[in-house]
Amino acid sequence: MTCLPLSIELSSLFKVTLIVAATSVVIELPLNSHWKSTKTMADRTPEGSGVHFPFPFTPYSIQKDFMAALYQVLEAGKIGIFESPTGTGKSLSLICGALSWLRDYEQKKCQEEARLLATETAPLGGGEDQRPFPACSHQEAPDSVKPAGEPDWVTQFVQKKEERDLVDRLKKEQIWRKKREERLQQLRHNAQLKYAARRERQEEEETERLLRLSRAVLAAGAGPEPLASGEEELVLSEYESDEDTGAATGFDEDEDDLEEEHVTKIYYCSRTHSQLAQFVHEVQRSPFGKDTRLVSLGSRQTLCVNEDVKNLGSVQLINDRCMEMQRSRHEMKSTAETEAPKRSRREPRATCPFYSYRQLQLLRDRVLVQVKDIEQLVALGKEAGTCPYYGSRFAIPAAQLVVLPYQMLLHAATRQAAGIRLQGQVVIVDEAHNLIDTITSIHSAEVSGSQLCQAHSQLLQYMDRYRKRLKAKNLMYIKQILYLLEQLVAVLGGNVKQNPNTQSLSQTGTELKTINDFLFQSQIDNINLFKVRRYCEKSMISRKLFGFTERYETVLTLPREQPRLAGFQRFLQSLQPGLTQAPAAPLDEGEPTAPRPASPLMRVEGFLAALTTANQDGRVILSRQGSLSQSSLKFLLLNPAGPFAQVVKECRAVVIAGGTMQPVSDFREQLLACAGVGAERVVEFSCGHVIPPDNILPLVICSGPSGQQLEFTYLKRELPQMMDETGHVLRNLCTVVPGGIVCFFPSYEYQRQVHAHWDKTGLLARLAVRKKIFQEPKRASQVEQVLMEYARCIKGCGQAGGSVTGALLLSVVGGKMSEGINFSDNLGRCVVMVGMPYPNIRSAELQEKMAYLDQTLPRTPGQAPPGKALVENLCMKAVNQCIGRAIRHQRDFASIVLLDQRYARPPVLAKLPAWIRDRVQVTGAFGPAFAALRKFHHERSGLS
């Protein structure tokens, strides 16, 4: 793909030069008659023509359908909801379908560019067929109706000027493209250039060493009010408000390369870095692996190669320290340019040795020249001695495919800080079954009473320590923040002057407030939280406060300050008993050490920022739990469509994809409709599985072997006869199912109760005769060990024979094993769901969310109210994730057993994935179900 797209519209249809790879699939795409006539030809699929989808092997028919539907969604600028079960090659279909569209789109743009530049010498505006189109395909065309009374020559002059400006812009972009391609070609064919960044880094280090020696010679003596070494950087710089200065860009004015035009690109995001790495590896193996300019984005915590900064542990601390070092660098450069060399009392602040603009340019090109995942990017940064975080950001404008985590795309401030521009671009959100929960979590915030008191005490001591050095605006804002902290503690019923651990609250319970009511009750409605938020961001006061706290928490270097800070130190120790008590017991082997705690003020900043949300879109939950330290304030986002609306508004097309997207009504109603997306713009695509129909047996079992009705409601599930019947069902399954059985319970507590009951009655021992029993651990560090032992047991039983035929794994819905774990082949020949995992209906948060949906969404006649539908959908999403753990590839087979008669209800069955719903069998008695299971596994095991 050597020709990059330009943001212009096409006036005619061009022949597309197609790429032929390992396997090219030609699919006829029908012309969509519903497309608006205003769509440009670059946004259409030629009628009657086929689209070639390069593929590394012969694709399944459902993959062909997936790619064709995806191509049409991107071409028409729609919002697509795509469901493709795990094991059907969803990632590869996304890659080949989306990059095929981008390939064709770039070809058309390049042809239109060539046509416009070829007509430059002809009289501009001489004919309708030669008239160029507006500069951006996503912009509306200017109004063609001229103002009344305007002379024709004025209209023609304006038109010709626009056409000349367009041609000039095309020439500049052509020069940019040529330069970039030349750089990348040199990197591909000249191995020495790959080490240019390392050589430059070594030269800069030597230069910096000489400069330090020179500064040491010219260093000035101490000032009249000396500070300890390194303490200068804890003092806040003079603050300039938004009225005094514009927002800082964070980059030098001469770094004009950052203004490079953002080409049309695809943003692909997923939940975890491991999922993103797996996607990048799929790209590398695809026919597009060598020609795609891909950049992987990550957090500073993931990409930082400065060990001093990375060792801070906390994400917030790493971010603040990095930004502070960049600000120091720009301040030093600005001072060097504007002031003559003079003796200074201020100790120079540390700057990051891995940030060099020239080296970042070289790293940017190395990132673009070859597809790399996050780990490869970090290794490249270490090798070059250059920051991978900023190097990857520099590569965004020229990249064709940007791979990034959910949070970076869905959070507006993070998106802006990373340099991501969504205007006219394509966004693909993969593993999107929990997209709504993710958006809600990202934009929610919680702060405890203990953190509020800590922040107040630390900030008060900080102000006393540096009062004479702080400017008026800093003191003003610090006093405002102190007042806010006092009022937030007061609204919980506490007092900032007392230890939160010993303060008992007279009133306990949970209270919900609208944002405005909370501000009035807290008596902080007269404070401009937007300005306070901006001050915290620009001054980085939480970072300064953290450094101050670290400095005086254990060792006091200034004797004359000791009396004043002794009380502060004792207070900190009282809030963190671990500082004075004996060391805690050592962590279990493999248990990760906890990151260093961030400044409590950082948590407060997040909560204050959440309070700037629109009043109707959120609630504040006051949780009073006996003592002030255990109480908390939590902001709950009720409308996830608010943050998501900006994404769908700016993007050309958005694709929401996942292996299990049912029920999709949540996405349509809560996310898209509330974000202002019309129903005509939403396209749904759901494909079946690649396995033969006979390789899956879904059963709804309504009663057990003794005839006991199976209904695991909250009131009935703890009955001894219900737990006994569950054990009898599993005991029968263990006799006919080979290999592994994975059984999901609604909660850890219920799993513990059932396990204890079986142990007491002897059922556990009878189960262990046929299957070795494993339990899902609560600690994440132990999950891998349990899974390894579970797999080893199944493999050993298959080879050794004997009475034990495999293993039984007792898991929990929503636990570590209900998502992302692969129980393929013998690891999961049967998945059992015990009951329906409804969320806690008594939860104040859930009740408020239900009430909000009942008030906001229209009620469809004959269907459940939106609030009740939310509860059912949350339950079925969890069920669908669990039962999707089994079938993982084309030759796999498994049975799915749903133990609860409520699964037989048509509205519940309708929310199962189509490839399971179409094959499900509902059995009122246990006998027929057991016979079907025995026959299924006997036949499948014989064939395998």
Side-chain angles (χ1 to χ4, degrees):
M1 300 183 191
T2 58
C3 198
L4 299 182
L6 296 172
S7 299
I8 57 177
E9 297 187 354
L10 298 178
S11 61
S12 60
L13 184 60
F14 296 97
K15 179 181 178 181
V16 179
T17 303
L18 297 172
I19 301 174
V20 180
T23 300
S24 290
V25 183
V26 183
I27 300 176
E28 296 290 338
L29 297 181
L31 182 64
N32 191 337
S33 59
H34 297 288
W35 288 347
K36 296 181 180 180
S37 58
T38 55
K39 285 285 183 182
T40 63
M41 297 305 292
D43 296 325
R44 293 186 182 178
T45 300
E47 185 172 6
S49 68
V51 176
H52 285 236
F53 293 101
F55 217 76
F57 50 83
T58 303
Y60 304 128
S61 60
I62 60 174
Q63 289 178 311
K64 298 178 184 178
D65 296 339
F66 188 105
M67 291 186 291
L70 177 62
Y71 193 104
Q72 286 186 307
V73 165
L74 302 186
E75 193 78 355
K78 302 280 188 178
I79 308 295
I81 303 175
F82 281 70
E83 182 182 49
S84 181
T86 303
T88 56
K90 170 172 56 72
S91 296
L92 202 53
S93 299
L94 282 170
I95 292 167
C96 295
L99 292 180
S100 293
W101 171 83
L102 184 61
R103 169 205 65 198
D104 294 349
Y105 187 85
E106 291 181 354
Q107 292 277 354
K108 298 170 189 176
K109 291 297 186 183
C110 289
Q111 291 173 0
E112 179 66 5
E113 174 200 7
R115 185 191 68 80
L116 289 172
L117 294 178
T119 59
E120 178 192 1
T121 55
L124 289 173
E128 186 178 349
D129 59 331
Q130 292 185 354
R131 178 171 176 171
F133 283 76
C136 297
S137 60
H138 56 267
Q139 293 177 349
E140 295 181 1
D143 193 352
S144 58
V145 180
K146 67 179 181 179
E150 184 175 281
D152 291 340
W153 67 267
V154 174
T155 303
Q156 293 175 4
F157 176 80
V158 173
Q159 176 185 325
K160 290 179 179 179
K161 185 178 184 303
E162 290 177 351
E163 293 170 350
R164 284 193 295 269
D165 291 344
L166 174 59
V167 171
D168 289 342
R169 189 180 65 81
L170 293 180
K171 289 181 177 179
K172 290 180 181 178
E173 291 181 355
Q174 198 173 49
I175 293 172
W176 269 114
R177 184 168 64 250
K178 186 177 180 180
K179 286 182 178 179
R180 179 170 58 241
E181 289 303 320
E182 288 176 353
R183 292 198 313 266
L184 297 184
Q185 282 296 109
Q186 288 177 352
L187 274 177
R188 288 188 182 100
H189 298 100
N190 190 340
Q192 292 183 354
L193 288 177
K194 294 182 180 180
Y195 306 101
R198 185 194 299 177
R199 289 197 304 271
E200 288 200 12
R201 169 74 191 280
Q202 293 171 347
E203 293 173 2
E204 287 187 4
E205 286 178 347
E206 179 63 19
T207 303
E208 180 63 26
R209 187 181 68 82
L210 296 175
L211 285 174
R212 283 198 300 269
L213 292 174
S214 301
R215 292 192 190 104
V217 175
L218 299 173
E225 200 175 321
L227 294 175
S229 174
E231 193 176 5
E232 180 69 40
E233 65 180 27
L234 299 179
V235 182
L236 290 164
S237 304
E238 183 172 2
Y239 176 68
E240 293 182 337
S241 65
D242 298 338
E243 291 80 5
D244 299 329
T245 181
T249 62
F251 297 103
D252 294 342
E253 292 181 0
D254 60 342
E255 296 176 1
D256 295 330
D257 287 346
L258 294 179
E259 297 303 319
E260 182 179 356
E261 182 73 18
H262 282 238
V263 303
T264 301
K265 59 175 55 63
I266 297 167
Y267 287 98
Y268 172 90
C269 62
S270 191
R271 286 192 309 127
T272 64
H273 283 295
S274 61
Q275 291 170 338
L276 294 173
Q278 184 178 356
F279 178 83
V280 173
H281 296 158
E282 291 283 354
V283 175
Q284 291 172 332
R285 291 191 290 266
S286 77
F288 297 91
K290 294 183 179 180
D291 300 322
T292 301
R293 296 188 303 279
L294 180 147
V295 57
S296 297
L297 300 183
S299 63
R300 287 181 173 89
Q301 187 181 37
T302 305
L303 292 175
C304 181
V305 293
N306 187 330
E307 292 300 326
D308 293 338
V309 176
K310 194 166 185 175
N311 288 338
L312 291 174
S314 164
V315 176
Q316 189 65 50
L317 293 177
I318 292 174
N319 288 342
D320 284 352
R321 182 57 177 157
C322 176
M323 289 187 287
E324 184 179 36
M325 295 175 85
Q326 299 315 311
R327 177 176 293 185
S328 300
R329 169 181 168 271
H330 295 297
E331 287 177 355
M332 290 174 60
K333 182 170 183 178
S334 175
T335 303
E337 292 175 350
T338 57
E339 299 181 7
K342 60 182 180 181
R343 299 173 69 182
S344 172
R345 295 188 181 96
R346 172 168 289 195
E347 187 176 312
R349 298 179 183 179
T351 60
C352 184
F354 296 92
Y355 187 103
S356 165
Y357 182 65
R358 174 59 185 157
Q359 293 175 9
L360 288 172
Q361 283 183 312
L362 294 171
L363 183 64
R364 171 200 63 189
D365 293 341
R366 292 190 64 183
V367 169
L368 292 173
V369 79
Q370 188 178 13
V371 174
K372 297 176 180 65
D373 63 17
I374 285 288
E375 292 182 358
Q376 293 168 332
L377 181 59
V378 172
L380 181 62
K382 290 180 178 179
E383 175 191 315
T386 309
C387 177
Y389 176 78
Y390 283 103
S392 59
R393 285 178 58 183
F394 280 26
I396 292 176
Q400 295 164 310
L401 180 58
V402 179
V403 179
L404 69 166
Y406 270 1
Q407 292 79 358
M408 195 171 290
L409 182 98
L410 298 173
H411 192 264
T414 307
R415 192 166 64 235
Q416 182 180 2
I420 296 170
R421 301 180 188 176
L422 298 181
Q423 193 71 41
Q425 309 292 12
V426 171
V427 165
I428 298 176
V429 183
D430 201 2
E431 300 297 332
H433 57 273
N434 60 353
L435 177 60
I436 294 176
D437 293 339
T438 300
I439 297 174
T440 301
S441 175
I442 291 173
H443 294 88
S444 297
E446 185 173 12
V447 61
S448 68
S450 178
Q451 290 167 336
L452 291 169
C453 288
Q454 273 186 296
H456 184 275
S457 179
Q458 292 175 8
L459 190 59
L460 186 62
Q461 296 290 336
Y462 177 89
M463 185 179 70
D464 289 345
R465 171 76 176 104
Y466 302 116
R467 181 186 295 272
K468 294 181 180 180
R469 289 177 170 268
L470 296 175
K471 302 296 182 181
K473 280 194 175 181
N474 281 318
L475 286 172
M476 179 191 73
Y477 277 108
I478 288 177
K479 289 179 179 179
Q480 279 193 353
I481 296 172
L482 287 171
Y483 174 76
L484 287 169
L485 293 169
E486 290 175 10
Q487 296 306 112
L488 292 178
V489 171
V491 81
L492 283 173
N495 189 326
V496 293
K497 297 180 181 179
Q498 300 176 18
N499 190 318
N501 291 325
T502 59
Q503 287 192 61
S504 297
L505 303 183
S506 58
Q507 180 183 356
T508 59
T510 301
E511 187 179 3
L512 279 93
K513 296 283 185 181
T514 65
I515 298 175
N516 288 345
D517 287 346
F518 175 76
L519 296 178
F520 283 119
Q521 182 178 346
S522 306
Q523 299 180 11
I524 57 175
D525 54 295
N526 59 332
I527 293 182
N528 190 328
L529 294 179
F530 291 92
K531 285 190 174 182
V532 173
R533 176 185 180 181
R534 180 65 177 160
Y535 170 78
C536 292
E537 290 174 355
K538 291 188 67 177
S539 67
M540 291 195 285
I541 185 172
S542 56
R543 168 65 198 170
K544 307 283 186 182
L545 190 61
F546 178 78
F548 168 76
T549 307
E550 276 205 322
R551 187 177 192 86
Y552 293 107
E553 195 170 33
T554 53
V555 179
L556 301 177
T557 56
L558 296 179
R560 64 187 181 91
E561 295 292 344
Q562 191 164 359
R564 183 164 56 178
L565 292 177
F568 171 55
Q569 186 180 2
R570 285 196 302 270
F571 179 76
L572 288 173
Q573 291 176 344
S574 71
L575 295 179
Q576 299 177 357
L579 293 177
T580 55
Q581 297 174 354
L587 295 171
D588 292 345
E589 187 175 352
E591 184 79 4
T593 56
R596 292 169 67 183
S599 165
L601 187 59
M602 295 178 184
R603 302 295 297 269
V604 177
E605 287 178 15
F607 181 73
L608 294 178
L611 293 180
T612 61
T613 306
N615 181 60
Q616 68 274 14
D617 287 349
R619 297 289 184 271
V620 179
I621 302 174
L622 293 80
S623 177
R624 302 180 178 95
Q625 301 295 329
S627 71
L628 179 60
S629 62
Q630 296 174 332
S631 303
S632 65
L633 299 172
K634 181 177 181 179
F635 173 81
L636 173 66
L637 181 71
L638 295 178
N639 181 22
F644 197 66
Q646 187 178 2
V647 175
V648 297
K649 181 180 178 181
E650 293 184 2
C651 290
R652 170 198 177 95
V654 177
V655 174
I656 304 171
T660 306
M661 299 295 289
Q662 293 292 335
V664 298
S665 57
D666 282 357
F667 297 102
R668 277 188 169 274
E669 296 168 5
Q670 293 185 44
L671 205 58
L672 300 179
C674 292
V677 179
E680 71 282 353
R681 195 184 172 197
V682 181
V683 175
E684 287 185 30
F685 175 87
S686 180
C687 64
H689 213 292
V690 294
I691 61 169
D694 295 338
N695 278 23
I696 182 174
L697 178 63
L699 291 172
V700 175
I701 299 181
C702 301
S703 60
S706 63
Q708 171 72 43
Q709 290 292 313
L710 299 176
E711 188 173 5
F712 294 85
T713 61
Y714 188 76
L715 296 176
K716 295 181 180 179
R717 68 185 187 183
E718 295 181 9
L719 296 175
Q721 59 266 33
M722 195 65 70
M723 293 189 280
D724 287 339
E725 200 72 357
T726 305
H728 295 321
V729 171
L730 286 176
R731 186 183 173 197
N732 279 274
L733 293 182
C734 289
T735 63
V736 298
V737 177
I741 299 177
V742 184
C743 180
F744 287 98
F745 290 87
S747 67
Y748 281 104
E749 177 60 23
Y750 187 58
Q751 183 216 54
R752 186 195 62 78
Q753 289 180 1
V754 172
H755 189 273
H757 179 78
W758 288 349
D759 190 23
K760 182 179 178 181
T761 60
L763 254 174
L764 200 63
R766 293 195 290 274
L767 283 170
V769 172
R770 302 307 296 266
K771 304 285 185 184
K772 185 175 180 180
I773 299 174
F774 295 86
Q775 282 185 279
E776 176 177 332
K778 281 192 174 182
R779 285 189 175 181
S781 61
Q782 297 175 342
V783 170
E784 186 174 356
Q785 180 183 354
V786 171
L787 287 174
M788 288 178 62
E789 293 177 0
Y790 172 75
R792 192 181 301 116
C793 173
I794 293 173
K795 184 177 180 181
C797 292
Q799 295 173 348
S803 60
V804 179
T805 61
L808 171 63
L809 177 60
L810 305 180
S811 303
V812 177
V813 177
K816 316 294 186 304
M817 298 181 181
S818 62
E819 287 190 37
I821 303 297
N822 185 351
F823 291 110
S824 62
D825 300 318
N826 277 338
L827 295 180
R829 289 304 183 197
C830 181
V831 175
V832 181
M833 281 295 308
V834 177
M836 298 186 70
Y838 283 106
N840 181 12
I841 196 68
R842 297 181 179 86
S843 164
E845 296 181 26
L846 181 58
Q847 289 181 351
E848 192 67 19
K849 180 74 172 179
M850 292 170 63
Y852 173 80
L853 293 178
D854 287 337
Q855 296 171 4
T856 307
L857 299 180
R859 180 171 180 177
T860 306
Q863 295 188 6
K868 185 177 180 182
L870 168 69
V871 176
E872 293 178 352
N873 290 346
L874 289 173
C875 170
M876 292 310 296
K877 281 182 182 293
V879 170
N880 292 338
Q881 281 301 306
C882 293
I883 62 180
R885 298 304 92 209
I887 303 293
R888 311 300 286 185
H889 58 82
Q890 187 181 21
R891 293 180 296 276
D892 206 355
F893 68 91
S895 56
I896 296 171
V897 178
L898 305 176
L899 292 183
D900 199 309
Q901 63 181 3
R902 292 174 292 175
Y903 282 111
R905 299 172 184 172
V908 174
L909 289 175
K911 294 177 180 179
L912 290 171
W915 64 279
I916 294 177
R917 181 176 65 242
D918 296 341
R919 306 169 190 178
V920 70
Q921 300 178 23
V922 179
T923 58
F926 183 75
F930 180 72
L933 281 165
R934 181 169 53 191
K935 179 182 178 183
F936 172 81
H937 285 286
H938 177 73
E939 293 177 350
R940 295 298 102 197
S941 299
L943 292 175
S944 62

